[in-house]
Amino acid sequence: MSLEITKVTARIGARVSGVDLTRPLAPEEVAGIREALNVHKALVLDARGLDDAGQQAFARHFGDLTTAHPTVGAVDGAPNVLPVDSERGRANHWHTDVTFVLNPPQATSLRSLTVPPYGGETLIANAGAAYRDLPEPLRRLADTLWAEHTNDYDYAVAEEDVDEERAAQRARFTSIKYRTAHPVVRVHPLTGERGLFIGGFAQRVVGLSAGESRKVLDLLQSYVTRPENVLRHRWSRDELVLFDNRITQHYAIDNYDGLPRRLHRVTVAGDVPVGLEGKESYAIEGDASHYTPVAA
C-alpha cells in the first residue's frame, strides 16, 4: 500500500496521497483512511476524475449512505448527493451536519466543483481537542449535560436581508421540524474519545432556560473554535475533504463576494450518539427514517 498521510496542523487535518479515488479501494486502503480519519479528524484527497457516482462509491467504503438531506433536495438523478451551492444558501455558522436527527451522519465528504478565485474556505474544528482543553470544573459540568438540537432555530438575520428566496429556503429547511436530545459530551464509538457534541443546531440545554442555555453553550463552543483546534482549508478544484462528523464542527466562510462556489456533499449514515453513562440520544420530534438508516 502506497498510502501517505501528511499532517496539516498539529491538532486537526492531514493530506492523503497515494490513493486513486476513481477505482474501488483495497481493504487495506479503506482501513488506512479510516485510521487516519480517527487520528486527524479531517482528510484532504485528490479527486481528479471523480464524478458523483465515484464520490458515492468512495463514501460507501465507510458505511451505508444517507440521502442528500432530510428536507432539502438532492442533485438531479443522484438522491444521495447534496449540492452545496452558494446560490442556494451559505452555511456560514458553526455546526455538525444534521445533528437535529436521532442518528446524524458519521462522516461527510465534500468534493469541489467550482471554487471562487479567492475566499470560500471551509473551517473544520476538532471537538475532541476542545473537550480536552476544558478546565476540570467545566469538563465535569459538560459531562452531565444534554442539549436539544433542532433545525428550527433562530437564524438571527436582519428582516431587511430576508427576501422571498431566502424565506423559501428556510421554509424548505424546516418543512419537517426535528428536535433531538444528544449528550453534550459524546463518546466516539470507534476510538472511545470524548468530544463536545454541540454546534449551531444545539439550541437548549435540557433543564435550563433559553438564556441560561445560551450562556453555557457559548462558553463550551468557544473551546471548539479556538484557532489551535481549527483547520482552515482553502479549496482547489477537484479536491475531496472527508471529515468525521461525530467529533468535528465546520463553517463555510462567506468571504468571496458572491462569486460561484459549488461543492457536492455525500454523507455516511451514523449510529445513535452515546454519552458517558451509556445513555443514547432520543428523538423528541420528527421522523428521519426516510433520510438515514442507523449504523450498527
Side-chain angles (χ1 to χ4, degrees):
M1 186 174 66
S2 57
L3 207 64
E4 294 184 7
I5 311 295
T6 306
K7 289 179 73 167
V8 178
T9 82
R11 291 190 169 189
I12 182 170
R15 287 191 172 271
V16 179
S17 57
V19 61
D20 181 0
L21 300 190
T22 64
R23 60 169 181 78
L25 302 184
E28 58 270 24
E29 290 177 314
V30 176
I33 292 172
R34 172 65 84 178
E35 175 61 24
L37 189 63
N38 288 343
V39 173
H40 300 290
K41 309 299 186 286
L43 305 176
V44 182
L45 300 98
D46 184 350
R48 281 175 291 184
L50 202 65
D51 57 11
D52 286 338
Q55 183 178 358
Q56 293 171 81
F58 169 74
R60 279 195 185 95
H61 285 103
F62 305 97
D64 295 331
L65 302 186
T66 73
T67 58
H69 192 274
T71 59
V72 178
V75 170
D76 288 344
N80 303 104
V81 182
L82 180 73
V84 180
D85 194 325
S86 58
E87 294 184 357
R88 290 177 44 147
R90 299 173 191 188
N92 56 331
H93 64 101
W94 282 105
H95 65 288
T96 298
D97 281 335
V98 201
T99 58
F100 45 83
V101 304
L102 179 62
N103 60 306
Q106 61 162 292
T108 294
S109 69
L110 291 172
R111 177 171 59 94
S112 54
L113 281 73
T114 303
V115 299
Y118 53 85
E121 300 95 337
T122 297
L123 305 179
I124 308 172
N126 183 342
Y131 176 79
R132 293 189 293 274
D133 283 344
L134 293 176
E136 185 60 28
L138 275 183
R139 196 179 306 163
R140 288 199 304 269
L141 173 63
D143 287 346
T144 68
L145 299 178
W146 285 67
E148 289 187 12
H149 296 234
T150 179
N151 62 331
D152 188 18
Y153 63 94
D154 181 6
Y155 284 70
V157 176
E159 187 173 340
E160 60 270 19
D161 292 334
V162 181
D163 56 19
E164 288 186 11
E165 184 177 358
R166 287 195 180 187
Q169 288 169 351
R170 180 169 182 181
R172 280 194 299 272
F173 193 77
T174 58
S175 57
I176 305 172
K177 290 185 171 60
Y178 292 96
R179 280 196 304 142
T180 301
H182 292 301
V184 165
V185 179
R186 181 181 185 178
V187 179
H188 196 288
L190 298 183
T191 67
E193 187 176 1
R194 299 174 180 186
L196 290 175
F197 197 62
I198 44 177
F201 299 123
Q203 290 292 294
R204 190 162 188 155
V205 175
V206 175
L208 299 185
S209 70
E212 292 166 337
S213 296
R214 190 73 273 144
K215 291 174 183 177
V216 170
L217 290 170
D218 285 348
L219 176 59
L220 296 176
Q221 181 70 12
S222 70
Y223 285 84
V224 177
T225 57
R226 281 183 166 184
E228 292 83 358
N229 293 334
V230 176
L231 169 68
R232 182 173 181 139
H233 179 65
R234 172 73 177 103
W235 288 95
S236 297
R237 188 172 175 179
D238 297 324
E239 284 185 321
L240 185 141
V241 171
L242 178 70
F243 53 83
D244 190 333
N245 200 57
R246 292 159 164 156
I247 199 164
T248 62
Q249 291 183 29
H250 56 285
Y251 182 119
I253 308 175
D254 183 7
N255 61 349
Y256 46 97
D257 289 332
L259 294 165
R261 179 184 185 271
R262 185 180 177 100
L263 313 174
H264 277 184
R265 186 179 93 181
V266 176
T267 51
V268 183
D271 51 310
V272 178
V274 175
L276 298 185
E277 296 180 350
K279 182 181 175 182
E280 292 186 339
S281 300
Y282 55 94
I284 301 169
E285 180 181 4
D287 178 6
S289 57
H290 67 287
Y291 162 64
T292 179
V294 178

